[in-house]
């Protein structure tokens, strides 16, 4: 799933989508990906405009973000900030689903302030032909504090006819197994931060916990990071912008290696791309994988 996008309305009433968003979901840039673009919106016209643009690019499904917990987003009644406003959610779905049945899914949290918000909403969503609902069982106000509430997720299963996908706190094969066993018969899971930290996590999960990373995985990871660096160099100008992005990835990925705190510190301290390249070379030459 691609990060959420939205459209802007200019003073003359015309809507447009930022070029950076369009680049993210351009099929040319996603050749090997079965991508589902995602929309952040609290308005039927805005949603339709953005959706039409996405479908015109050739994508077959769109996800609606009702989960984003960022206060900048929720205070505008977007993301999880829309969950207390069910009438508005239904007004949007009435319009959008009439045009795009079986082409929209929803990603949601339990509520902004209380799980009662989603418990109330789920039976109402039964009337709409959604493809699936992905639930990250935390409240918007929680941001990322506490743990994903598996019991609340189970409560949701009884309240909907839709295919439910679980999302939250799957960081490695053990946490996947723990969660999978607590949610018998679950139809699917979505990975978030765990995938940023360990791109081999899906392979591990598919192998049923028997996956040990090999030297060729190390090479794949090295190539991935090189590609990322080159792509950023082609798009962004100035070492500090490029380094900012790469440091963002390493904050998650450091756990792949032994002594992640030391690795994070070394990467964080790099001030130039040359220095960064040197540190990455050292990591791959000297530090074993931890997981
Ligand atoms: C940096 C960052 C950006 C995110 N952006 C999005 C987004 O654009 N759309 C979305 O649905 N979720 C987004 N999420 C939330 C994740 O999809 C996921 O719901 C959340 O991290 C919990 O799952 P996890 O514990 O597996 O990470 C983002 C999370 C992080 C940490």
């Amino acid at each position: 799933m691609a990060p959420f996008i939205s459209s802007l309305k200019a003073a003359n009433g015309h809507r447009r989508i930022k070029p950076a968003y369009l680049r993210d979901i351009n099929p040319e840039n996603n050749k090997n990906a079965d991508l589902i673009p995602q929309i952040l919106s609290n308005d039927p016209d805005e949603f339709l405009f953005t959706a039409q643009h996405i479908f015109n690019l050739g994508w077959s499904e769109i996800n609606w973000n009702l989960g984003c917990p960022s206060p900048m987003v929720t205070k505008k009644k977007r993301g999880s900030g829309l969950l207390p406003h069910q009438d508005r959610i239904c007004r949007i779905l009435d319009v959008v689903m009439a045009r795009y049945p079986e082409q929209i899914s929803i990603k949601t949290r339990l509520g902004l302030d209380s799980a009662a918000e989603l418990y109330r909403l789920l039976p109402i969503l039964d009337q709409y032909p959604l493809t699936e609902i992905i639930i990250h069982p935390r409240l918007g106000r929680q941001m990322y504090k506490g743990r994903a509430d598996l019991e609340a997720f189970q409560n949701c299963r009884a309240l909907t006819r839709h295919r439910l996908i679980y999302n939250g706190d799957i960081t490695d094969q053990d946490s996947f197994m723990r969660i999978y066993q607590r949610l018998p018969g679950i139809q699917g899971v979505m990975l978030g931060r765990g995938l940023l930290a360990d791109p081999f996590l899906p392979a591990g999960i598919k192998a049923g916990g028997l996956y040990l990373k090999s030297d060729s995985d190390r090479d794949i990871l090295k190539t991935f990071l090189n590609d990322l660096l080159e792509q950023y160099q082609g798009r962004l100008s100035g070492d500090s912008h490029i380094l900012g992005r790469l440091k963002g990835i390493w904050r998650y990925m450091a756990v792949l290696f032994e002594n992640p705190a030391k690795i994070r510190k070394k990467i964080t301290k790099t001030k130039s791309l040359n220095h960064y390249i040197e540190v990455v070379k050292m990591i791959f030459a000297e530090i074993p994988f931890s997981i």
Side-chain angles (χ1 to χ4, degrees):
M1 192 179 294
F4 64 70
I5 67 171
S6 51
S7 56
L8 306 162
K9 198 173 187 175
N12 63 8
H14 286 153
R15 287 194 180 279
R16 67 180 185 93
I17 303 174
K18 276 197 215 162
Y21 286 159
L22 291 175
R23 202 170 45 203
D24 279 351
I25 58 167
N26 184 338
E28 281 295 306
N29 299 332
N30 292 282
K31 283 202 174 116
N32 298 318
D34 203 358
L35 195 76
I36 300 179
Q38 188 186 60
I39 289 180
L40 182 80
S41 176
N42 62 6
D43 174 83
D45 291 339
E46 179 198 27
F47 196 125
L48 278 184
F49 174 87
T50 317
Q52 192 168 9
H53 210 99
I54 293 170
F55 286 129
N56 284 346
L57 290 173
W59 301 114
S60 58
E61 183 174 333
I62 288 174
N63 181 268
W64 185 19
N65 182 318
L66 290 178
C68 183
S70 157
M72 296 283 283
V73 168
T74 56
K75 75 177 182 208
K76 293 185 196 151
K77 298 195 176 73
R78 289 164 169 254
S80 65
L82 199 51
L83 288 171
H85 306 280
Q86 308 209 336
D87 290 354
R88 195 149 168 189
I89 292 174
C90 289
R91 269 207 310 278
I92 294 168
L93 284 174
D94 286 341
V95 172
V96 172
M97 303 273 22
R99 180 89 66 91
Y100 301 115
E102 305 290 351
Q103 286 175 286
I104 308 288
S105 59
I106 285 179
K107 165 119 186 289
T108 183
R109 287 199 174 208
L110 294 171
L112 179 61
D113 294 297
S114 152
E117 293 164 29
L118 187 59
Y119 294 164
R120 260 196 331 262
L121 180 64
L122 282 172
I124 299 171
L125 294 181
D126 271 0
Q127 63 184 295
Y128 298 103
L130 298 163
T131 55
E132 64 186 20
I133 299 174
I134 303 158
I135 300 179
H136 173 53
R138 278 191 174 89
L139 297 171
R141 295 278 187 228
Q142 264 181 284
M143 302 290 287
Y144 285 93
K145 292 200 193 88
R147 289 196 169 192
D149 184 345
L150 299 187
E151 202 178 312
F153 183 87
Q154 284 292 49
N155 295 339
C156 291
R157 293 175 81 181
L159 297 173
T160 180
R161 72 173 175 89
H162 288 299
R163 191 173 120 93
L164 272 197
I165 306 295
Y166 171 86
N167 163 246
D169 297 357
I170 298 177
T171 51
D172 52 25
Q173 292 171 33
D174 286 348
S175 52
F176 168 77
M177 280 317 289
R178 228 175 17 250
I179 287 170
Y180 191 68
Q181 280 160 3
R182 284 274 312 275
L183 306 174
I186 183 74
Q187 288 155 301
V189 298
M190 173 183 177
L191 303 177
R193 293 164 296 173
L195 186 60
L196 291 178
D198 180 2
F200 302 102
L201 182 55
I205 288 173
K206 284 181 186 160
L210 302 172
Y211 191 84
L212 282 179
K213 285 183 204 69
S214 63
D215 284 348
S216 72
D217 289 340
R218 252 179 123 76
D219 291 340
I220 291 172
L221 193 68
K222 217 178 342 181
T223 307
F224 167 67
L225 286 163
N226 280 340
D227 280 355
L228 205 56
L229 170 59
E230 276 173 22
Q231 296 283 334
Y232 282 148
Q233 280 177 310
R235 275 196 197 183
L236 304 169
S237 55
D239 280 17
S240 69
H241 283 124
I242 300 167
L243 276 174
R245 302 288 180 108
L246 294 165
K247 287 176 185 179
I249 291 279
W250 273 99
R251 267 195 288 279
Y252 291 100
M253 213 177 249
V255 294
L256 266 187
F257 295 87
E258 282 180 4
N259 204 342
K262 184 175 149 195
I263 290 196
R264 259 185 222 116
K265 200 164 159 193
K266 279 199 172 297
I267 293 278
T268 307
K269 276 183 155 175
T270 59
K271 295 252 182 309
S272 70
L273 278 182
N274 283 342
H275 186 197
Y276 165 86
I277 290 165
E278 233 172 74
V279 170
V280 171
K281 210 186 263 175
M282 180 282 292
I283 292 170
F284 276 93
E286 295 174 17
I287 307 195
F289 277 148
S290 63
I291 49 177

